[in-house]
Amino acid sequence: MKKVLALLACGLLVLSSLTACSTTTTTTEPEENNGGATTDVTADAEKSADVIIVGAGGAGLSAAISAVDNGAESVIIVEQTSRTGGNLNLTSGSMSAANTSLQAECGIEDSFESYEEDIYNNGAQLGNQEMIKTFVEEDTPMFEWMLEHGLSDNTFTEQNGCKAVFAPEHQLYSVQRTYKARPDDSSKYSSAAHEVLDTYLATLDNFTIDYNTEATKLVANDQGQVLSVLATAEDGSTVLYTASKGVIMATGGYSGNFNLIEKYAAEGAGYLSSTTSMGKGLRMMQEVGGWIDETNMSYIPTFPMGVQTGERSGTIGSTYTWKTGGICVNQNGERFVNEQEDQVDVREVALEEQPGAVQYDIFTDKIVEDLRAAGGATMFDLYFGENGRAQQLVQSASSLEELAEKIGVPAENLVQTVADYNAAVEAGGTDEFGRSYDPAEVGTNSYNLGINTIEGDTYYAIPLKALVVMTLGGITTDTSTHVLDESGNVIPGLYAAGEVVGGIWGKFVSGGTGVMGPITFGRIAGRTVMSDTLATDYTVSPASNLFDESLFVNAATETESRFDMSTPLTDGDYTATVDGQSGPMTVQVTITDGKIAAVTITEQAETESIAAEALEKIPAAIVEANSADVDVQSGATLTSNRIMDAVADCLQQAAQ
């Protein structure tokens, strides 16, 4: 006989209210749980609401708004970090939509059909056309809603007086349909989209976010409905969240999970990542039957301009020296692509296929001088010029042979590559890679600002790697955001939106869909969850291709100690500077009686909305532990590691 869930003691059956109690147990016999996805679930506290959302990124925030707008009396978001936004904190937030009021203001004619076609073609014709069609049709109303709720007041980048622009960082659309709005409060927000969603949610009184709480397991009831989420709060206690209408998974992708990246990308071991997203939500859904088509797990787009900032971390940056005569070579010292190719995905794939997914930009002083003269050296100077953020990556030599030795490529290959390139420049025309050396094109092609041979007194090389900023594989849903099992059946009570969903866009992402995709499908999820009638006879069982748990523990996070604290330290004040998010970070460490007495950050240029808690808590934790190795602050891993690295540098000084 079925055991009655021990939730009654807390009044959990009153699901429209937020409740909490301590030390309860949920037990369901596996043989009577339509497959028994869960046998025993214990929790220290319980909370309930109409809708439970896991993840407070663009999809989660949009879903919460939509659920409330469609009648939800209570919504809880369970958020692992200490802030909202997810990857919206890491991007300027370009948006895209067709047939918008901003296009109409400029007289731009557009169509949904054209937008669908562009997205499908940009994704190498590997996307789900039905999902793309749904997105395009729902995207414009969502964008217009954002304009009506504050976005129209933000400052936009304009092109010929129009707020609808082309975005050269992605493959160009056939018409201007990208929108680059800047947040009003840039100290708190990286993207205007995040600011608009956050601002609106602040007006709702039937919505709450539980921060620093990590969802760990989805729980099915005895009717086969997935309506509960088990989570761990910041203090280590467990909480069972249960919804009356449904659970929306908006947990993001796996761009920070190097185990999955290396599993599905041939040269993934060389990739850098700008995020720490592990993709644990994927396995949570697999445990209750959610299906992942592993074909699209290999759809991991990269930027061919990753500046390494940590062991596996990076940020978007480029020398752009190839615009005035530089070349890119691989670890064999050979060119592998037309450096001036205007199709971004061609350069992306070319770098992904190289050994170690690394390229070296080769150039001379004359090439940099011409780049500056042409007004194209802003990023070069920011990262690689004097006092640049990544100046330590620059290698220089008086000969190509010496340069080859410094960067570890075969000298004879590099010398021959440069000689062949110089000959092509002198000959004019077009080389074997399709790069043009026609002087008539200089100034008319933004990728060809000048033509130089690689000759001079000093030669330079800078390594750049393939950089992952998002992933395109994931769980399978229908156009209404229901999570589907291997047979294509709807798993009752379970919904998903955002980067956690796979197979929508194809192999590459189109400009603006990385922001508007999650927000638009989040809106659909909130609407769907409030209108559904849930099935009561579903059989819950794990997916046949359930990922091994070991894939969600990155070896890169299990590093050796930064500094052996048994080493004798000399009392005094020590200072170290490391590369920061938007500039140097300088840390001072005071050693008293051979121990860490104080850690002070004297200079930093971190993004305040992301780094605030790390900047406040990590120094104190280091002093308390008397160690350069402490737990990173959730949601601010990069800042946490920078502080610890600087402290370790100071300790090395104190040990000498």
Side-chain angles (χ1 to χ4, degrees):
M1 181 178 180
K2 297 176 182 176
K3 295 182 180 179
V4 178
L5 302 183
L7 305 177
L8 297 174
C10 291
L12 194 57
L13 296 184
V14 186
L15 292 170
S16 63
S17 63
L18 305 182
T19 63
C21 67
S22 61
T23 316
T24 61
T25 303
T26 300
T27 304
T28 306
E29 293 180 353
E31 67 273 18
E32 297 185 23
N33 187 30
N34 296 306
T38 301
T39 54
D40 292 292
V41 176
T42 61
D44 299 314
E46 297 165 0
K47 295 186 178 183
S48 62
D50 288 341
V51 180
I52 304 297
I53 300 170
V54 184
L61 298 178
S62 176
I65 292 170
S66 178
V68 171
D69 285 351
N70 283 277
E73 296 181 0
S74 56
V75 175
I76 301 175
I77 294 184
V78 180
E79 169 55 38
Q80 182 176 350
T81 71
S82 59
R83 68 189 191 281
T84 64
N87 280 357
L88 290 179
N89 290 298
L90 304 175
T91 175
S92 60
S94 293
M95 296 166 275
S96 57
N99 286 343
T100 68
S101 57
L102 296 186
Q103 287 177 310
E105 290 174 4
C106 302
I108 295 174
E109 295 185 5
D110 200 357
S111 69
F112 289 164
E113 292 76 16
S114 170
Y115 192 18
E116 291 172 30
E117 184 177 356
D118 283 352
I119 292 174
Y120 186 63
N121 289 336
N122 290 349
Q125 299 185 349
L126 294 171
N128 183 315
Q129 290 182 286
E130 187 177 8
M131 293 286 281
I132 293 172
K133 178 179 175 64
T134 297
F135 163 72
V136 167
E137 293 176 350
E138 296 271 1
D139 176 40
T140 300
M142 183 70 243
F143 182 72
E144 294 293 338
W145 181 95
M146 295 174 72
L147 288 174
E148 294 168 7
H149 289 81
L151 184 63
S152 60
D153 296 328
N154 289 77
T155 300
F156 283 71
T157 297
E158 297 188 8
Q159 187 171 344
N160 298 323
C162 186
K163 293 179 181 178
V165 302
F166 286 113
E169 64 270 21
H170 293 283
Q171 188 62 36
L172 298 182
Y173 285 121
S174 54
V175 300
Q176 295 169 224
R177 63 167 73 99
T178 301
Y179 314 91
K180 295 175 174 288
R182 292 189 286 279
D184 290 331
D185 185 355
S186 59
S187 67
K188 187 176 181 181
Y189 297 102
S190 295
S191 70
H194 182 195
E195 186 176 50
V196 170
L197 296 175
D198 247 12
T199 301
Y200 184 81
L201 279 168
T203 68
L204 304 179
D205 56 9
N206 48 356
F207 155 80
T208 187
I209 302 179
D210 284 3
Y211 292 105
N212 299 311
T213 302
E214 181 180 4
T216 59
K217 192 175 187 67
L218 291 168
V219 182
N221 62 22
D222 59 357
Q223 295 180 321
Q225 299 165 335
V226 180
L227 292 174
S228 296
V229 180
L230 186 66
T232 302
E234 186 174 18
D235 62 4
S237 64
T238 54
V239 184
L240 185 67
Y241 294 87
T242 299
S244 63
K245 300 295 293 183
V247 173
I248 300 174
M249 295 291 285
T251 52
Y254 49 95
S255 54
N257 188 327
F258 297 110
N259 291 324
L260 285 175
I261 288 173
E262 291 173 25
K263 178 179 174 66
Y264 293 105
E267 294 294 332
Y271 288 7
L272 302 176
S273 176
S274 63
T275 81
T276 57
S277 302
M278 290 292 290
K280 292 181 180 179
L282 296 174
R283 192 177 192 280
M284 288 173 61
M285 286 185 278
Q286 283 186 305
E287 288 179 318
V288 294
W291 181 247
I292 291 176
D293 180 349
E294 293 189 69
T295 300
N296 61 55
M297 288 294 290
S298 65
Y299 299 164
I300 306 173
T302 66
F303 278 100
M305 50 176 68
V307 177
Q308 191 160 1
T309 57
E311 184 177 357
R312 297 295 299 271
S313 60
T315 188
I316 296 174
S318 175
T319 72
Y320 287 120
T321 50
W322 34 266
K323 288 190 174 186
T324 51
I327 60 173
C328 303
V329 302
N330 59 20
Q331 287 187 329
N332 297 323
E334 301 168 336
R335 289 178 66 203
F336 56 90
V337 71
N338 172 10
E339 296 88 350
Q340 298 180 341
E341 171 61 57
D342 60 2
Q343 287 188 262
V344 179
D345 60 295
V346 172
R347 289 184 282 119
E348 289 178 12
V349 172
L351 179 55
E352 290 169 4
E353 294 175 344
Q354 302 314 302
V358 62
Q359 70 183 39
Y360 298 91
D361 287 11
I362 308 295
F363 57 95
T364 63
D365 288 318
K366 177 65 165 57
I367 289 170
V368 175
E369 290 171 6
D370 283 1
L371 186 65
R372 289 197 178 104
T378 300
M379 187 171 285
F380 179 92
D381 289 333
L382 179 65
Y383 285 102
F384 310 113
E386 186 176 357
N387 299 319
R389 297 177 188 173
Q391 202 276 334
Q392 77 281 358
L393 295 178
V394 181
Q395 296 289 342
S396 62
S398 58
S399 69
L400 288 170
E401 290 83 355
E402 180 187 0
L403 187 67
E405 182 178 0
K406 285 189 173 184
I407 63 177
V409 306
E412 62 276 14
N413 288 0
L414 181 60
V415 170
Q416 187 61 56
T417 295
V418 171
D420 291 344
Y421 169 76
N422 287 344
V425 173
E426 296 293 347
T430 302
D431 68 15
E432 60 182 305
F433 297 100
R435 180 168 172 171
S436 173
Y437 306 103
D438 183 351
E441 292 191 6
V442 176
T444 62
N445 177 0
S446 63
Y447 290 99
N448 190 2
L449 301 178
I451 299 174
N452 281 297
T453 56
I454 298 177
E455 298 175 292
D457 296 329
T458 306
Y459 299 90
Y460 299 91
I462 295 175
L464 297 175
K465 292 189 174 184
L467 177 70
V468 182
V469 297
M470 68 182 305
T471 49
L472 302 179
I475 209 73
T476 303
T477 72
D478 61 17
T479 56
S480 297
T481 72
H482 299 105
V483 175
L484 306 179
D485 64 18
E486 187 171 357
S487 299
N489 300 312
V490 170
I491 300 174
L494 187 59
Y495 307 81
E499 198 176 329
V500 75
V501 178
I504 299 176
W505 315 109
K507 192 173 182 180
F508 308 101
V509 69
S510 295
T513 57
V515 171
M516 290 306 300
I519 291 174
T520 298
F521 279 110
R523 190 187 201 200
I524 295 172
R527 183 176 67 219
T528 303
V529 72
M530 292 305 298
S531 62
D532 269 356
T533 299
L534 303 182
T536 58
D537 57 353
Y538 181 76
T539 299
V540 174
S541 60
S544 63
N545 61 351
L546 179 66
F547 288 141
D548 191 274
E549 285 185 282
S550 64
L551 290 171
F552 298 89
V553 178
N554 269 339
T557 65
E558 301 174 348
T559 57
E560 296 182 2
S561 174
R562 289 175 170 81
F563 183 83
D564 181 0
M565 291 305 297
S566 67
T567 305
L569 301 175
T570 302
D571 288 358
D573 293 328
Y574 302 90
T575 301
T577 299
V578 296
D579 291 328
Q581 179 67 31
S582 300
M585 174 188 288
T586 301
V587 175
Q588 178 179 293
V589 174
T590 300
I591 305 297
T592 303
D593 296 331
K595 294 184 177 181
I596 302 173
V599 174
T600 305
I601 301 172
T602 61
E603 178 188 12
Q604 58 88 12
E606 304 296 283
T607 302
E608 191 67 23
S609 61
I610 300 174
E613 290 206 26
L615 295 170
E616 175 188 354
K617 295 181 178 180
I618 294 299
I622 290 172
V623 173
E624 182 179 356
N626 189 43
S627 172
D629 296 295
V630 296
D631 291 338
V632 300
Q633 184 65 35
S634 178
T637 301
L638 298 181
T639 298
S640 300
N641 284 326
R642 289 174 189 131
I643 298 170
M644 288 185 273
D645 288 343
V647 169
D649 190 330
C650 291
L651 295 175
Q652 290 288 356
Q653 297 173 44
Q656 296 175 358

